[in-house]
């Protein structure tokens, strides 16, 4: 639709542009000054481009939100901040970010509830920020559909590194042939899973876990191995993160922890793929 140069100019417009009044965006690219029609035109243009990953920062502490957006901008992302729960859902719906960084303590709507509602329409990568150090908060956030978490206070640099790791992660592990485990069929190339012919709605993280386990059925994978594959080797935190996501995955597949068909717990170690029977 747009050639590379044009796309570059528009990306620069997003990063370097200044909003003038309500509906004009202007700025400079090198020596070239420009002014692009309405903000809505620009937004539609930006939405149509897949070149820059959009990151939505949901944080009511404005200074912190600004610092995170700033850092993400410099790292080459298209970042945007909102400060309330309802705004987060509105903007996520229209802007379709790849990643949402979500504070839990928010005015209007709690971050946990934002996460649950976000999951109804989005498979974006969600990192929750929690000032509450209690483990239950983290686990509850993951159960609500978040992919990862960071405890406050956190390093902005570390947060951005996690966003980068997620978006750079190759989603394609060598073997992409369809895999069947009883009623469960996994299509790694299309990133789809179905049980009894019905598609199962998985988040990117849930699919990656299923993909990692089913790629080598019968082989037990430790929690750390799964973290390395799904969250990256630099991920630091509580390895029980894996258990919460496995719990969500089992629930969606209709599998039971007591008598699992698909995902078998290997005590004191991790998980392996079951036969589907
Ligand atoms: Ca807060």
């Amino acid at each position: 639709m747009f050639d590379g140069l044009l796309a570059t100019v528009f990306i620069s417009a997003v990063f370097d542009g200044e909003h003038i009044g309500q509906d004009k965006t202007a700025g400079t690219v090198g020596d070239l000054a420009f002014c692009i029609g309405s903000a809505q035109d620009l937004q539609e243009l930006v939405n149509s481009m897949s070149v820059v990953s959009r990151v939505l920062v949901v944080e009511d502490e404005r200074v912190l939100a600004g610092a995170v957006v700033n850092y993400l901008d410099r790292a080459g992302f298209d970042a945007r901040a909102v400060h309330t729960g309802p705004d987060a859902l509105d903007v996520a719906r229209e802007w379709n970010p790849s990643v949402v960084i979500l504070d839990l303590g928010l005015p209007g709507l709690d971050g946990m509830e934002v996460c649950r509602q976000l999951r109804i329409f989005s498979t974006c990568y969600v990192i929750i920020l929690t000032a509450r150090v209690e483990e239950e908060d983290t686990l509850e956030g993951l159960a609500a559909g978040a992919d990862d978490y960071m405890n406050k206070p956190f390093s902005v640099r570390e947060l951005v590194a996690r966003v980068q790791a997620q978006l750079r992660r190759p989603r394609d592990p060598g073997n992409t042939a369809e895999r069947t485990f009883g009623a469960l069929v996994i299509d790694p190339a299309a990133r789809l899973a179905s049980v009894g012919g019905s598609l199962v709605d998985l988040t990117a993280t849930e699919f990656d876990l299923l993909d990692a386990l089913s790629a080598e059925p019968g082989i037990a994978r430790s929690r750390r191995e799964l973290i390395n594959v799904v969250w990256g080797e630099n991920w630091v935190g509580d390895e029980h993160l894996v258990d919460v996501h496995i719990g969500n995955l089992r629930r969606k597949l209709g599998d039971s922890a007591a008598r699992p068909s698909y995902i078998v717990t290997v005590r004191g170690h991790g998980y392996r793929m079951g036969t589907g029977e």
Side-chain angles (χ1 to χ4, degrees):
M1 186 164 28
F2 301 104
D3 65 34
L5 175 63
L6 205 52
T8 307
V9 169
F10 282 125
I11 292 166
S12 300
V14 176
F15 289 135
D16 300 331
E18 283 180 25
H19 289 279
I20 299 177
Q22 289 297 307
D23 62 354
K24 296 285 184 188
T25 297
T28 57
V29 178
D31 293 326
L32 174 68
F34 64 86
C35 182
I36 303 170
S38 69
Q40 194 187 348
D41 291 345
L42 176 64
Q43 198 55 60
E44 281 168 12
L45 191 60
V46 169
N47 286 348
S48 72
M49 298 188 310
S50 57
V51 190
V52 177
S53 292
R54 293 188 285 270
V55 183
L56 180 62
V57 179
V58 187
E59 169 60 77
D60 59 323
E61 290 170 49
R62 287 169 189 254
V63 173
L64 178 57
V68 174
V69 164
N70 208 325
Y71 212 102
L72 284 163
D73 267 351
R74 280 188 282 142
F77 294 101
D78 183 2
R80 192 167 158 181
V82 291
H83 311 294
T84 71
D87 284 353
L89 290 171
D90 287 348
V91 173
R93 260 193 207 95
E94 77 187 40
W95 198 48
N96 193 23
S98 308
V99 178
V100 172
I101 295 169
L102 181 61
D103 183 31
L104 285 186
L106 288 171
L109 198 62
D110 184 66
M112 218 75 90
E113 189 51 34
V114 171
C115 192
R116 277 187 205 100
Q117 294 193 27
L118 196 56
R119 275 298 172 238
I120 295 169
F121 63 88
S122 174
T123 57
C124 67
Y125 194 77
V126 180
I127 302 176
I128 51 171
L129 302 176
T130 172
R132 299 175 277 188
V133 290
E134 290 85 8
E135 195 183 11
E136 309 90 77
D137 279 335
T138 305
L139 297 182
E140 195 190 331
L142 295 172
D147 297 277
D148 197 359
Y149 68 91
M150 290 195 79
N151 290 324
K152 287 180 172 180
F154 60 90
S155 141
V156 175
R157 181 197 292 263
E158 166 67 19
L159 177 63
V160 172
R162 284 198 186 185
V163 173
Q164 284 170 325
Q166 278 313 312
L167 295 173
R168 280 184 192 151
R169 174 151 54 95
R171 297 278 189 192
D172 182 4
N175 178 9
T176 56
E178 211 170 76
R179 304 162 195 162
T180 303
F181 303 87
L184 169 64
V185 178
I186 301 162
D187 179 350
R191 293 180 61 77
L192 293 174
S194 60
V195 174
S198 303
L199 280 181
V200 183
D201 189 19
L202 300 178
T203 65
T205 295
E206 288 157 3
F207 188 87
D208 287 343
L209 273 172
L210 186 61
D211 189 24
L213 287 167
S214 63
E216 296 174 277
I219 295 181
R221 309 289 300 264
S222 70
R223 290 185 180 85
R224 187 65 237 184
E225 283 176 292
L226 291 169
I227 284 170
N228 289 350
V229 174
V230 176
W231 286 269
E233 296 191 353
N234 296 321
W235 192 90
V236 178
D238 185 343
E239 293 186 0
H240 290 92
L241 164 87
V242 174
D243 303 343
V244 180
H245 287 287
I246 291 283
N248 292 342
L249 188 52
R250 274 179 172 149
R251 185 171 43 75
K252 290 185 182 181
L253 297 176
D255 210 3
S256 97
R259 289 189 51 210
S261 303
Y262 305 125
I263 300 172
V264 180
T265 303
V266 182
R267 232 169 261 288
H269 184 72
Y271 300 93
R272 69 173 162 77
M273 203 63 200
T275 58
E277 282 158 17

